[in-house]
């Protein structure tokens, strides 16, 4: 009997120290500078530590980084498609030098690893975006992350892992590469086809994986990503419950479920190659590569960022080096006359009726509480998703009013709040700009950084209200588009609706009102950095609603908002 497929590079690079050495390092690290890892860095560290990123032995140094960005090669020539870097702030980087040791900690301060610094450099992140993701368009989530979330300095060096990040969820399914390989060895699995997914599985996915496993004459590993995926994706808790239901649809002893703590970049072709390397490290011999595999969708012009078969083509070109076989995705469709699924290229559409529900249509039906046919989704899976994504009328939402001082946004927000409370049926919270400043952000000034922080605090509170089914009504000035987008991301990640409402009252009218005398003080130079006078207001490009209160009463404006909420399905005005 043949052995398991060897890890990529020949050796599984498990970076964890033995208990005695780890304790000694933990004691010594009390004097090291500490870096609190971001969510993405935590995912990367876990796969470095457990060998999922073999042959890497730490966060990339500059030579490896530049080779990967420009040529998909590490400095020694090894094929590797995706940068794995530790980004830090300028202030923190200034405390480091070559040979320094850094304690890497989780958000609660628990030390997980020690990094010995080899390189410190400032990357060209725009160049990285262009080379790695093929675009500088911020509609790509990884490009947006590089611009808005990543720190400006990269630190590279070898990692010694003291422990893996702690997880309290689905611990029986969180198998490391070594543990999964041992399971394959124990069960006699030598040919294993991995199914990469970040979405719930429906009947078509089950039929697809059945077919792929039969074609490869292999066992099946359902290996979903439970680290970071595309913003707006179904949360991994709901997805894993769905996968556990689906697992029972396969014959016993043929299929396994294990979770992958990967922070996806949605990098399309390069990401598909990365997924192949990672699955080989986990002991898989085959990988199903889907149509537009790991694709992020459309750019800001509405064009697809990657071609539908670009990922399959890139994996095919590098198949010999990867050492793992690709099983191309075959679209499965339900054929009415057969009362079952078949590959679309084996269907005679002239004589057979193909039935399908698009992702958009499925979401619409879920949003509106409509029936999902059994031929499309397993009832137990649909029921799990309904728990997380109830019809819109039972979802939380955030109304985010933005506009110049004196535009009328607080007045409208108060009127809408009263109308919603009058209706009842949902908790309503008003997060007015002045009140938040007094009770939540009293220590902040009015610099751009402090104004951004204030808005992000509002966004965080709104997202928690939304997550729990309430209505959050926010009424800050919020002059910067990037910060408003960050709030939208927080709220939508909490499975709620976000409605940006631009109170577009002209500056002249706002100055004429000037109830607080702020414009007069700004014109006189007694207040600086005042929005609309000597600091810009970035007008929303496509808000859910735009209201000019110059010739509009408060009651009329509030009614426009209520009608918009009703039209979007969040309330019923009857």
């Amino acid at each position: 009997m043949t052995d398991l497929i060897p890890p990529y590079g020949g050796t599984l690079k498990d970076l964890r120290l033995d208990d005695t050495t780890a304790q000694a390092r933990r004691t010594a690290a009390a004097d090291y500078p500490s870096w609190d890892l971001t969510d993405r860095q935590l995912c990367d560290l876990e796969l470095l530590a457990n060998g999922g990123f073999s042959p890497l032995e730490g966060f990339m140094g500059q030579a490896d980084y530049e080779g990967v960005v420009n040529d998909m090669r590490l400095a020694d020539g090894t094929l590797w498609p995706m940068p794995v870097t530790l980004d830090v702030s300028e202030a923190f980087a200034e405390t480091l030098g070559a040979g320094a040791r850094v304690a890497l900690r989780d958000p609660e301060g628990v030390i997980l690893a020690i990094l010995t610094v080899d390189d410190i450099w400032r990357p060209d992140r725009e160049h990285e975006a262009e080379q790695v993701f093929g675009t500088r368009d911020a509609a790509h989530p990884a490009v947006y992350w590089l611009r808005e979330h990543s720190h400006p300095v990269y630190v590279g060096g070898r990692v010694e892992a003291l422990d893996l990040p702690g997880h309290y969820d689905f611990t029986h399914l969180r198998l490391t590469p070594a543990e999964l390989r041992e399971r394959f060895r124990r069960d006699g699995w030598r040919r294993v086809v991995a199914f990469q997914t970040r979405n719930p599985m429906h009947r078509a996915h089950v039929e697809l994986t059945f077919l792929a496993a039969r074609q490869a004459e292999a066992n099946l590993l359902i290996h979903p990503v439970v680290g970071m995926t595309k913003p707006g994706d179904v949360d991994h808790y709901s997805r894993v419950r769905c996968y556990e239901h689906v697992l029972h649809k396969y014959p016993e002893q043929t299929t396994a479920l294990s979770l992958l703590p990967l922070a996806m970049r949605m990098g399309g072709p390069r990401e598909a190659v990365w997924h192949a390397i990672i699955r080989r490290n986990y002991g898989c011999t085959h990988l199903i590569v889907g149509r537009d595999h790991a694709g992020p969708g459309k750019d800001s012009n509405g064009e697809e960022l990657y071609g539908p078969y670009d990922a399959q083509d890139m994996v095919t070109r590098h198949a010999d080096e990867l050492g793992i076989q690709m099983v191309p995705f075959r679209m499965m469709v339900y054929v009415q006359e057969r009362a079952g699924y078949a590959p679309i290229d084996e269907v005679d559409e002239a004589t057979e009726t193909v039935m399908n529900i698009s992702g958009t249509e499925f979401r619409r039906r879920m949003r509106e509480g409509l029936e999902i046919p059994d031929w499309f989704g397993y009832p137990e899976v649909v029921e799990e998703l309904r728990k997380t994504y109830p019809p819109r009328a039972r979802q939380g939402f955030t109304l985010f009013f933005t506009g110049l001082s004196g535009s009328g946004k607080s007045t409208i927000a108060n009127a809408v709040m009263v109308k919603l409370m009058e209706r009842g049926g949902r908790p309503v919270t008003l997060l007015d700009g002045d009140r938040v400043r007094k009770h939540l952000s009293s220590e902040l000034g009015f610099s751009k950084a402090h104004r951004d922080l204030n808005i992000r605090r509002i966004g965080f509170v709104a997202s928690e209200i939304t997550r729990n089914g309430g209505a959050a009504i926010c009424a800050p000035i919020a002059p910067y588009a990037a910060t408003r987008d960050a709030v939208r991301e927080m709220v939508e990640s909490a499975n709620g609706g976000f409605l940006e409402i631009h109170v577009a009252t002209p500056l002249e009218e706002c100055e004429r009102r000037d109830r607080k005398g702020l414009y007069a003080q700004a014109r006189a130079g007694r207040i600086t950095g005042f929005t609309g006078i000597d600091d810009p207001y970035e007008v929303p490009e496509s808000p859910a609603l735009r209201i000019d209160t110059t010739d509009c009463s408060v009651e009329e404006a509030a009614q426009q908002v209520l009608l918009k909420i009703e039209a979007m399905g969040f309330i019923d005005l009857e």
Side-chain angles (χ1 to χ4, degrees):
M1 183 177 290
T2 58
D3 291 329
L4 294 180
I5 185 174
Y8 188 64
T11 304
L12 194 65
K13 300 287 187 176
D14 192 319
L15 307 182
R16 289 173 290 178
L17 301 175
D18 63 80
D19 290 344
T20 301
T21 307
Q23 184 54 47
R25 293 285 196 277
R26 194 174 284 112
T27 300
D31 297 325
Y32 299 162
S34 291
W35 177 256
D36 290 346
L37 297 163
T38 65
D39 290 342
R40 175 162 144 174
Q41 292 167 354
L42 274 171
C43 291
D44 287 352
L45 176 65
E46 182 164 1
L47 287 170
L48 284 169
N50 69 20
F53 282 169
S54 297
L56 301 187
E57 296 184 1
F59 288 102
M60 288 179 179
Q62 188 170 3
D64 281 336
Y65 164 79
E66 291 178 352
V68 168
V69 167
N70 295 318
D71 302 308
M72 287 179 51
R73 301 275 170 185
L74 299 173
D76 65 5
T78 301
L79 175 70
W80 190 275
M82 198 64 63
V84 178
T85 53
L86 182 70
D87 55 293
V88 303
S89 66
E90 287 182 328
F92 185 75
E94 289 174 358
T95 69
L96 306 178
R101 290 188 170 181
V102 178
L104 302 179
R105 300 179 183 272
D106 71 11
E108 295 180 357
V110 176
I111 182 170
L112 298 176
I114 295 170
L115 172 78
T116 301
V117 177
D118 288 332
D119 290 320
I120 304 171
W121 77 102
R122 178 184 289 274
D124 182 342
R125 289 177 289 178
E126 292 297 313
H127 178 72
E128 178 180 335
E130 182 68 44
Q131 292 295 108
V132 176
F133 305 111
T135 182
R136 300 188 182 198
D137 192 327
H140 192 302
V143 175
Y144 178 80
W145 184 91
L146 276 171
R147 286 184 184 161
E148 301 298 332
H149 295 294
S150 69
H151 298 93
V153 181
Y154 287 179
V155 177
R158 181 177 172 82
V159 163
E160 296 174 297
L162 311 184
D163 206 349
L164 296 178
H167 299 288
Y168 303 104
D169 59 319
F170 308 112
T171 54
H172 62 295
L173 298 174
R174 291 182 176 273
L175 301 182
T176 67
E179 291 167 342
L180 196 56
R181 283 173 164 272
E182 179 55 34
R183 175 174 177 177
F184 293 162
R185 186 176 290 108
R186 183 181 66 245
D187 294 345
W189 290 19
R190 296 299 182 265
R191 294 170 64 86
V192 182
V193 57
F195 180 55
Q196 149 81 31
T197 180
R198 41 173 259 270
N199 293 308
M201 291 177 67
H202 298 297
R203 287 183 181 268
H205 301 106
V206 172
E207 296 294 335
L208 160 70
T209 52
F210 262 134
L211 180 61
R214 285 199 302 267
Q215 288 178 341
E217 297 181 349
N219 291 99
L220 174 67
L221 174 67
I222 301 172
H223 207 203
V225 172
V226 295
M228 297 174 66
T229 60
K230 184 179 177 181
D233 281 352
V234 177
D235 68 272
H236 81 267
Y237 301 101
S238 301
R239 288 192 287 115
V240 175
R241 292 196 299 271
C242 292
Y243 301 138
E244 290 183 315
H245 287 302
V246 166
L247 196 61
H248 298 299
K249 308 302 178 182
Y250 296 91
E252 289 188 13
Q253 309 303 319
T254 66
T255 304
L257 170 64
S258 187
L259 310 183
L260 180 66
L262 176 70
M264 290 184 67
R265 275 59 161 177
M266 305 307 299
R270 281 197 182 215
E271 181 125 355
V273 173
W274 199 33
H275 290 173
I277 291 171
I278 294 167
R279 273 23 183 266
R280 177 173 168 178
N281 286 328
Y282 273 87
C284 300
T285 56
H286 298 69
L287 173 67
I288 299 171
V289 178
R291 186 179 184 274
D292 193 24
H293 187 98
K298 300 181 186 297
D299 63 17
S300 57
N301 296 316
E303 301 293 330
E304 294 291 341
L305 281 155
Y306 304 122
Y309 303 107
D310 288 354
Q312 293 181 2
D313 291 344
M314 183 171 281
V315 173
T316 300
R317 287 199 303 274
H318 296 289
D320 290 342
E321 287 183 275
L322 290 171
I324 183 171
Q325 298 182 47
M326 179 184 73
V327 181
F329 178 96
R330 298 181 71 187
M331 184 177 179
M332 304 294 289
V333 294
Y334 187 82
V335 183
Q336 187 174 31
E337 289 77 8
R338 303 187 197 185
Y341 280 84
I344 193 169
D345 57 359
E346 296 179 7
V347 175
D348 182 358
E349 296 192 49
T351 60
E352 296 182 301
T353 307
V354 171
M355 301 176 68
N356 190 29
I357 293 179
S358 68
T360 300
E361 174 63 12
F362 174 72
R363 289 188 291 273
R364 185 189 73 82
R365 290 180 180 226
M366 291 290 290
R367 184 172 62 243
E368 297 179 11
L370 302 177
E371 179 188 2
I372 306 296
D374 287 349
W375 61 260
F376 177 82
Y378 296 105
E380 54 267 56
V381 170
V382 173
E383 182 60 29
E384 283 292 350
L385 294 174
R386 288 199 191 279
K387 293 176 185 176
T388 305
Y389 297 94
R392 271 193 170 176
R394 292 195 286 115
Q395 288 180 20
F397 62 88
T398 291
L399 302 179
F400 194 87
F401 291 86
T402 174
L404 296 171
S405 177
S407 60
K409 57 189 180 299
S410 294
T411 305
I412 300 171
N414 270 285
V416 171
M417 176 190 68
V418 169
K419 291 292 185 183
L420 290 176
M421 293 180 72
E422 183 181 39
R423 294 182 67 259
R426 187 195 304 268
V428 183
T429 303
L430 176 64
L431 299 171
D432 179 70
D434 290 340
R435 294 176 65 190
V436 169
R437 275 280 179 179
K438 179 179 179 181
H439 297 290
L440 189 63
S441 298
S442 59
E443 86 285 7
L444 298 183
F446 289 89
S447 66
K448 183 180 187 303
H450 277 194
R451 280 186 280 184
D452 280 348
L453 179 56
N454 181 54
I455 300 304
R456 288 175 185 273
R457 287 178 179 178
I458 291 173
F460 172 76
V461 175
S463 70
E464 292 302 304
I465 293 168
T466 300
R467 188 189 309 279
N468 289 287
I473 303 177
C474 312
I477 294 174
Y480 309 121
T483 315
R484 297 194 298 263
D485 288 344
V487 173
R488 176 189 295 274
E489 183 179 327
M490 281 189 268
V491 171
E492 292 181 345
S493 295
N495 302 332
F498 181 88
L499 289 77
E500 183 180 50
I501 301 168
H502 178 209
V503 184
T505 308
L507 175 63
E508 296 76 16
E509 177 63 18
C510 295
E511 280 201 77
R512 187 191 65 77
R513 298 172 182 175
D514 201 13
R515 290 181 298 174
K516 301 177 183 178
L518 299 177
Y519 282 100
Q521 294 184 60
R523 291 292 186 189
R526 291 191 293 272
I527 297 177
T528 59
F530 191 80
T531 302
I533 303 300
D534 58 348
D535 199 70
Y537 177 82
E538 298 174 2
V539 175
E541 292 184 2
S542 52
L545 193 63
R546 207 183 298 273
I547 302 172
D548 182 346
T549 64
T550 304
D551 296 310
C552 174
S553 71
V554 174
E555 290 77 9
E556 290 170 336
Q559 189 63 23
Q560 288 185 53
V561 175
L562 293 170
L563 289 172
K564 173 59 71 172
I565 303 170
E566 180 195 26
M568 296 181 72
F570 288 107
I571 63 170
D572 183 354
L573 288 183
E574 292 181 0

